[in-house]
Amino acid sequence: MAVYSIKDLEKLSGIKAHTIRIWESRYSIIEPGRTQTNIRYYTDDNLKLLLNIALLNKNGIKISKIAEMENEEILEKVAAISEMNFESDVQLDALTLSMIEMDEYKFDRIISTNIQQLGFERTMIEVIYPFLDKLGLLWLTGSINPVQENFMSYLIRQKIISAINNEPIAQGKAIPKFLIYLPEGESQELSLLFMHYLLKSRKFKVVYIGNYISLTDLKDAYQIHRPEFIYTIISETFTKPLIKDYVDSLAITFPDTQILLSGYQVVSQNLQSDKNYSVLADLAETIAFLDELNRK
């Protein structure tokens, strides 16, 4: 059984610790445990209940009214709001709850409903990416455990792969081909998979060669496919003295190919070169580049 502090509840629910204490004393909604030194602690059940209460309260239901509801009524209203209200905060709260509960059905219902309403690309940009940002913050502050993070990452990965598989494979000699990969040590698989989707949905040819790719492996793939573009993400592998050397080696090794780079390390070091590589600073710039290329 997981144990949470009131600060953990604040981070996960977005409700201030002071407000949580007021709800406890005035409405007896949540009953924390106490250590031998009289410090509050909260269980998984406490957290799940608070997340549901927070979602209802943020959507205009007074806390006094929520306090009168049976648990089943709370769950029904949360489900209805999650499926009808597509505001970012509501979706983030609903996804956080599905993560804490490790509830695949709830996750699937939230994401599938968003895809029906917004389409897959907007769902990724407006719902999943903000959730991943929140997930990273919660991980850094120790408010979630690796099991919960891995559970959600796996489900998101499956959704992206399903979307990729639903797009037809581009055919034709004149269609630009992208070879996409992650260098050794990089772990941005979800971002690379989403890039695969963005390319395929815009009818480009894509060769996805995956993670932990050495320069030798990249050369082998290049010899077979001769792509017009090579795309990679460099966020954590390299340090300042090394990253430009690596990027320059890509440019020298593949002189007839345009190399596209993204990721924290590339952007933060402000790489500039007259060689055959370009930096895509963020997702919006990447999409704009692809759309412009698609219009040519």
Side-chain angles (χ1 to χ4, degrees):
M1 179 184 72
V3 174
Y4 304 90
S5 69
I6 196 165
K7 283 297 183 183
D8 289 330
L9 265 63
E10 181 178 84
K11 292 168 189 169
L12 287 159
S13 68
I15 303 298
K16 295 293 185 183
H18 175 69
T19 302
I20 295 171
R21 291 190 185 99
I22 291 174
W23 289 359
E24 288 175 14
S25 60
R26 189 173 298 173
Y27 301 103
S28 300
I29 285 181
I30 300 168
E31 296 182 8
R34 296 276 182 172
T35 67
Q36 292 182 346
T37 54
N38 204 35
I39 297 173
R40 287 180 175 86
Y41 69 86
Y42 300 85
T43 65
D44 282 327
D45 288 340
N46 294 144
L47 174 59
K48 292 171 190 175
L49 177 59
L50 179 64
L51 287 170
N52 282 317
I53 291 170
L55 193 149
L56 295 183
N57 185 246
K58 290 175 185 177
N59 281 272
I61 303 178
K62 293 182 178 180
I63 190 65
S64 57
K65 182 69 174 177
I66 300 171
E68 297 172 355
M69 295 180 186
E70 297 293 334
N71 191 51
E72 186 174 334
E73 184 181 359
I74 290 175
L75 294 176
E76 288 175 356
K77 288 187 178 297
V78 166
I81 289 171
S82 299
E83 292 178 2
M84 294 176 61
N85 188 331
F86 291 90
E87 292 182 7
S88 177
D89 286 348
V90 173
Q91 298 303 308
L92 284 177
D93 287 346
L95 283 173
T96 301
L97 188 57
S98 72
M99 174 188 66
I100 297 300
E101 296 178 340
M102 296 182 68
D103 188 330
E104 182 175 357
Y105 174 77
K106 185 174 290 184
F107 168 86
D108 185 72
R109 186 177 63 196
I110 294 165
I111 297 303
S112 295
T113 303
N114 274 277
I115 291 172
Q116 289 172 5
Q117 295 292 324
L118 306 175
F120 183 76
E121 186 169 320
R122 282 187 61 193
T123 296
M124 280 293 299
I125 295 169
E126 297 176 21
V127 180
I128 293 180
Y129 267 109
F131 174 72
L132 289 173
D133 288 341
K134 181 178 181 180
L135 193 64
L137 177 62
L138 294 174
W139 167 249
L140 287 173
T141 58
S143 299
I144 61 170
N145 60 49
V147 172
Q148 292 164 324
E149 183 188 30
N150 291 344
F151 175 79
M152 293 302 283
S153 296
Y154 170 78
L155 294 181
I156 293 168
R157 182 179 185 275
Q158 295 305 107
K159 285 293 183 184
I160 302 174
I161 290 173
S162 177
I164 291 169
N165 289 336
N166 286 336
E167 294 292 332
I169 298 173
Q171 300 290 329
K173 291 183 178 180
I175 298 173
K177 181 185 291 185
F178 288 74
L179 191 155
I180 66 177
Y181 78 102
L182 292 178
E184 294 171 296
E186 286 291 336
S187 58
Q188 304 293 318
E189 185 191 21
L190 294 181
S191 294
L192 190 69
L193 284 169
F194 186 47
M195 182 63 171
H196 190 171
Y197 170 80
L198 292 173
L199 291 166
K200 203 173 177 189
S201 67
R202 285 159 174 76
K203 313 308 177 191
F204 294 118
K205 294 179 181 178
V206 191
V207 181
Y208 179 101
I209 58 174
N211 308 355
Y212 293 90
I213 301 299
S214 68
L215 193 57
T216 300
D217 294 333
L218 190 60
K219 289 177 185 177
D220 291 341
Y222 178 86
Q223 291 300 322
I224 295 170
H225 289 281
R226 298 286 177 174
E228 285 79 14
F229 298 91
I230 292 176
Y231 172 86
T232 193
I233 303 169
I234 303 175
S235 289
E236 56 198 59
T237 304
F238 301 94
T239 56
K240 268 189 177 179
L242 297 177
I243 184 167
K244 192 173 189 307
D245 291 343
Y246 179 77
V247 171
D248 284 344
S249 70
L250 289 177
I252 293 167
T253 305
F254 309 106
D256 300 323
T257 298
Q258 185 174 357
I259 297 161
L260 305 174
L261 307 163
S262 66
Y264 171 76
Q265 290 286 352
V266 173
V267 175
S268 66
Q269 295 187 33
N270 195 28
L271 288 178
Q272 295 179 347
S273 173
D274 57 0
K275 299 185 176 67
N276 55 315
Y277 62 75
S278 302
V279 174
L280 302 173
D282 52 31
L283 184 57
E285 190 171 313
T286 300
I287 291 173
F289 174 87
L290 297 180
D291 288 342
E292 178 63 26
L293 183 63
N294 214 15
R295 286 191 285 268
K296 292 180 179 179

